[in-house]
Every structure is written in C-alpha cells, then in structure tokens.
Amino acid sequence: MAKFIVPKEIFHGLGSLENLKELKGKKAVIVIGGNSVRANGSLKRTEDFLKEAGISSVVFSGVEADPSIDTVKRGADFFTQEQPDVIVGLGGCSAIDAAKAMWVYYEYPESTLEELAAPFAVKKMRNKAYFVAIPSTSGTGTEITGLSVITDKEKGTKYPIVSHELTPDVAIVDGELCESMPAHVTANTGLDALSHGVEAYVSNIADRYNDSLAKGAIELVFENLPTAYAEPNNKEARQAMHDASCMAGMAFTNVWLGIVHSMSHQIGGTFGIPHGCGNAILMPNVARFNSKVTDKYDDLAELFGKSNAEDFAQGIEDLRSKVGVVGSIKEYGVSQEEWDAKLDTLTENAMKDPCTLFNPRKPKFEEIKAIYQACYEGTKIDF
C-alpha cells in the first residue's frame, strides 16, 4: 500500500497570487529572504491581498541562503511575539524552508534541531497556525514538500527535517513571481527541477501516481527551460517551469530521490557548487549507471524523439549547455589538489546519504567514486 500526500490546496497559473484573498485568519507573518520580493513588488501584492482577506500582516526578513538555526529561532521568537494564525513563506527555497522550521519552533519551543532531524519526528502541527508557501524560484518544489533543510553553523552541519506535517496547507504557484530571476538562477533551479523529476521517475519505490507527475515535469523542463533562460519576460515559459518544479516536487516528496542528490549534496557543501549545477553535472553519468538495471531512461528519451538511456543522458548534456551550465566539476573551478584530497570523504558521505537508499541500482563505494571522478573530468562512464 502506498500513500500520496500533497497540500490541501494548490493554486497555479499566472496571477494566481490573488487567491490569497480567499484565505481565512486574523494575522499573518510573512517570512522573506533579502530584498528581491520587495523590489519586484511580490511582497506588497501579498500584503495587499491578505488585507483584502481581512488578515493583517507583519514581515520577518533576512533569511540567508542556507538558513541557520539561529535565524530560525529568531523567527520563532518573532512569531511568539506576534501570535499569527497564518504563516506565509514567500520567496526562494531558503525563505520557505526557514519559515517551515520557525513554524515548528513556534508550536514546539522546546524542540532541538537534532531531535527534529530524526525522520518524521515532527509532532502534530497546526495547533497555532497553518502554512502558506509562495515560491519565487522554479526548482526545489518546497512549496509542496514535507522537507526543510536547516544549518547549524557552529557544528558546520546541515540538518534535513523530514515530515509530512511540514507539507504546506496552501501552495501558490504563480509564474509572474519569477520574472526577475537572473539567468543563472533560472538555469540552475530549472535543472534542479529536472533532477527531481528524473530521480522520482526511476526511484525504487516509484508508482503510477508519481510517475505521471515526474514524467510530465521532465517534459515541461525540456520544452520550456531554454526559453525561460533566453527570454526572462516570457510569462508562459515561466509558468511552465513553475508548474514543472511543483509537479516534480509532488513526485519526489512521495517516492524520494537517488544518488544524483546523494552526490550533489556533498559537492555543494564542500565546494559551494550550486545545487542545480551539481545535479546537472552528475545526472548524465548517473543515468548511464542506473540504466543497467532499469529501462525507465529509455522511456524518458522518447519525450524528445530518441530511444535509449544514452540518448537521454546526451539530451541532458545538450540542455545543460544551452542554458550555460558547466559540464564538469573541474570546469566549475575545483582544483585537482582539492579534489584528490576530498574524493574519498565525498564518496563515504554520499554512500551514507538517505537518498542512496532509493536509487534503482545499489552502488558500491568504488562505483560512486568512479562516477565522481568521471564527472570531475567531464568524461562518460561505461559500467
């Protein structure tokens, strides 16, 4: 028996932000990152629509790129002071992830990050507030997932909080909020969405429900990412990419991910490689590796008129090139000396990553290491 969990309501389409007018509540805290949502008018529009719904609002700002537990606790204290019954995460993944964690600490102030990092450890939520997620980037799908990643900077450790209790109650997927995304962010987040679709589709616990969403998301990315990258004001392409991100998120939050993410988590944390970029470098060789045990990559190749896993791997490489993303870890700028010093540790940590459990082919240490090495050099694997 399987379970399929998504937000209670998902409003999607250009202009769907106005559905905030339908919310119920008295007071909202809006959690944002920097100034982008102020500059592009998204924050003002959110505040105005909430006002039309009869909901007053206050803003917590300053969430950093990798939200820290210190920021989360400051936000929770702010929530306690303001006593909202609606929490709105507005912006990129970091703002929404931080808002989710603040929500937990608002409802359970005695929580510790180590406790929350245990799988499905979050207690029953919605005792004080419900959660609304409004993404302004098209990549992580955090608006519909039960996941929040928080960093303890003193320990230098990232903690994933995984619980279906964190799945937002309302998601608003409005492509108009993405028009101000810089080209490199459009590329990296779009390739991140692609990786979510691909890894969900080949997951070892994949099912029909999630397959349909994953495959649909992959098709949307191939058809629309080059346009969104080259024509940032093309609203239809922006909306298509926003939908792809959400659909891929719905798929992977139910069937999880694989070794593209296990490996990308390590090179991102160690060398600062943007997550979508790291995923895009790794995806082709991981497809070649996994294709020895599944024919699902052949299915995906058919989306653009090809027939096998190698065609699909090359399709990813072509898309990656079209949107200006590098093809190897070496090309990103990691020196041979740095790489050689870290390779075994990267491999060990990738083997331990929870995502490895859901990969269709069970990898050995030497196989992960060899995939890493090929992706460093920009060469193909054949095993």
Side-chain angles (χ1 to χ4, degrees):
M1 183 182 74
K3 183 186 287 188
F4 184 74
I5 297 175
V6 293
K8 181 180 178 182
E9 294 182 296
I10 302 173
F11 298 103
H12 57 95
L14 296 169
S16 56
L17 187 66
E18 69 177 355
N19 287 283
L20 285 170
K21 295 187 291 187
E22 300 177 19
L23 297 186
K24 305 296 182 185
K26 295 179 180 178
K27 187 174 189 178
V29 170
I30 305 169
V31 178
I32 65 172
N35 290 318
S36 61
V37 293
R38 294 185 193 274
N40 66 20
S42 299
L43 176 60
K44 178 67 164 57
R45 292 173 62 212
T46 297
E47 292 171 319
D48 289 346
F49 286 136
L50 288 172
K51 187 175 181 180
E52 286 191 55
I55 301 172
S56 64
S57 61
V58 291
V59 177
F60 180 90
S61 62
V63 175
E64 65 271 52
D66 290 307
S68 68
I69 186 59
D70 293 334
T71 298
V72 167
K73 288 183 176 179
R74 284 193 298 106
D77 289 343
F78 185 74
F79 287 8
T80 300
Q81 173 188 312
E82 298 294 336
Q83 290 293 300
D85 55 355
V86 183
I87 295 166
V88 179
L90 172 65
C93 172
S94 296
I96 296 174
D97 274 15
K100 288 178 181 177
M102 292 171 189
W103 181 33
V104 175
Y105 276 87
Y106 175 45
E107 302 217 350
Y108 297 101
E110 302 306 314
S111 299
T112 68
L113 191 52
E114 291 80 4
E115 291 170 353
L116 295 174
F120 304 100
V122 176
K123 298 175 186 175
K124 185 174 178 60
M125 297 289 287
R126 296 159 184 83
N127 306 298
K128 297 180 180 180
Y130 69 92
F131 196 93
V132 181
I134 310 172
S136 62
T137 59
S138 307
T140 67
T142 189
E143 69 274 10
I144 49 81
T145 70
L147 174 67
S148 170
V149 180
I150 303 300
T151 300
D152 185 327
K153 292 189 175 177
E154 285 188 9
K155 295 182 178 179
T157 303
K158 287 187 176 183
Y159 290 89
I161 305 173
V162 180
S163 172
H164 290 305
E165 288 293 326
L166 295 184
T167 304
D169 299 277
V170 179
I172 296 180
V173 185
D174 186 344
E176 289 184 351
L177 276 64
C178 305
E179 288 183 89
S180 61
M181 263 200 297
H184 72 280
V185 177
T186 297
N188 286 327
T189 57
L191 291 166
D192 189 21
L194 177 65
S195 72
H196 293 156
V198 173
E199 294 225 282
Y201 190 68
V202 302
S203 164
N204 59 24
I205 59 168
D207 61 33
R208 294 187 189 98
Y209 287 69
N210 301 289
D211 277 1
S212 296
L213 287 161
K215 200 170 184 179
I218 293 163
E219 188 169 21
L220 283 172
V221 173
F222 273 101
E223 290 177 350
N224 292 279
L225 181 55
T227 303
Y229 176 78
E231 304 171 25
N233 296 320
N234 187 316
K235 291 186 178 183
E236 294 301 327
R238 288 294 195 189
Q239 184 62 50
M241 286 303 303
H242 227 29
D243 290 338
S245 175
C246 185
M247 290 163 62
M250 280 190 266
F252 92 75
T253 196
N254 285 282
V255 298
W256 308 110
L257 299 162
I259 60 171
V260 168
H261 279 77
S262 301
M263 299 173 72
S264 185
H265 291 157
Q266 315 316 317
I267 60 174
T270 303
F271 302 116
I273 298 174
H275 185 59
C277 173
N279 290 351
I281 292 170
L282 292 160
M283 261 192 291
N285 273 334
V286 170
R288 294 178 178 111
F289 176 75
N290 286 338
S291 68
K292 300 297 191 291
V293 300
T294 177
D295 60 4
K296 279 193 155 185
Y297 294 98
D298 300 346
D299 298 342
L300 296 179
E302 293 175 5
L303 293 176
F304 46 86
K306 301 295 184 178
S307 61
N308 58 51
E310 180 57 31
D311 291 334
F312 183 67
Q314 290 180 21
I316 295 171
E317 292 170 349
D318 291 344
L319 178 63
R320 187 177 66 195
S321 178
K322 284 180 185 176
V323 296
V325 173
V326 297
S328 70
I329 297 167
K330 186 175 185 178
E331 189 180 353
Y332 183 80
V334 177
S335 72
Q336 187 75 57
E337 184 179 11
E338 288 180 289
W339 181 251
D340 291 343
K342 298 289 186 180
L343 181 54
D344 281 350
T345 300
L346 295 171
T347 304
E348 288 170 8
N349 291 338
M351 290 291 291
K352 294 174 185 175
D353 191 291
C355 291
T356 300
L357 296 171
F358 301 96
N359 200 66
R361 182 178 175 185
K362 187 176 181 180
K364 299 174 182 176
F365 179 93
E366 291 303 325
E367 290 170 333
I368 291 284
K369 186 174 180 179
I371 295 170
Y372 264 138
Q373 188 60 43
C375 291
Y376 177 77
E377 298 288 351
T379 58
K380 296 179 183 180
I381 65 163
D382 60 0
F383 56 87

